Amino acid sequence: DSESRGIPVVGYVPRGLPDFTVALWTPVQGGGRTAATVFAVIAMGFMKHLTVARQLASKGEYEVNPSHELVGLGLTNLCGAAFQGTP
């Protein structure tokens, strides 16, 4: 028993991966009004990601292909969203 050994117990932690939730995705209400803001946030996030990738590439002496980075970032976000991942 963990508690008797002085290890605090935070509660029940479910086993396994979260449920796959693609069927629950719905369009954002008022998407047309927020499209410019969403695009700006996406562009800034990608630029930040690319800057870090280039910095690491310069230290590791390899080249970064922005197209490959964009595909990798997109797939990561899609899988994270599908399985309720957190950044």
Side-chain angles (χ1 to χ4, degrees):
D1 182 68
S2 299
E3 288 183 284
S4 66
R5 295 183 180 177
I7 300 172
V9 178
V10 295
Y12 175 73
V13 178
R15 298 180 114 172
L17 294 172
D19 294 332
F20 190 68
T21 60
V22 173
L24 302 176
W25 292 353
T26 58
V28 177
Q29 297 294 329
R33 293 177 296 198
T34 60
T37 303
V38 168
F39 180 75
V41 169
I42 290 170
M44 291 298 292
F46 176 64
M47 294 307 290
K48 182 181 83 164
H49 176 82
L50 191 57
T51 301
V52 171
R54 285 183 174 163
Q55 183 68 28
L56 292 173
S58 69
K59 290 181 181 180
E61 299 178 5
Y62 59 90
E63 291 185 23
V64 172
N65 184 337
S67 297
H68 293 169
E69 293 294 321
L70 184 60
V71 169
L73 188 60
L75 288 173
T76 301
N77 286 332
L78 184 64
C79 291
F83 290 100
Q84 303 172 20
T86 57

